Amino acid sequence: MTSLRKLQHDMQSFLLTTQPSIYPHIVGPDADFITERLAVYSEAYLLRLQEILASAFPGVRAIA
């Protein structure tokens, strides 16, 4: 069984570098489903970071 620490590391690596080590741990009927599932999560994560940064630094958002 894979440790939580390893899963977290693999997910972080995927989000930051698209390293595929997380793929074997994602449940889905086929590779296309897994790829799409991870893409949705990755995009949502990036959008949330943008939202947080825009809220924390409204001046930067205004000039961007």
Side-chain angles (χ1 to χ4, degrees):
M1 174 167 264
T2 304
S3 71
L4 176 58
R5 185 179 185 112
K6 170 90 168 100
L7 288 172
Q8 289 172 328
H9 178 268
D10 289 348
M11 188 63 174
Q12 181 183 29
S13 294
F14 173 77
L15 291 172
L16 297 175
T17 67
T18 65
Q19 180 184 21
S21 59
I22 192 67
Y23 276 69
H25 306 289
I26 306 300
V27 176
D30 57 34
D32 289 339
F33 179 86
I34 291 169
T35 300
E36 184 175 346
R37 189 175 198 178
L38 286 168
V40 167
Y41 187 87
S42 179
E43 289 173 27
Y45 183 78
L46 291 175
L47 288 172
R48 181 67 180 131
L49 284 177
Q50 290 174 350
E51 180 183 350
I52 291 166
L53 291 171
S55 175
F57 303 101
V60 174
R61 177 152 172 83
I63 62 171

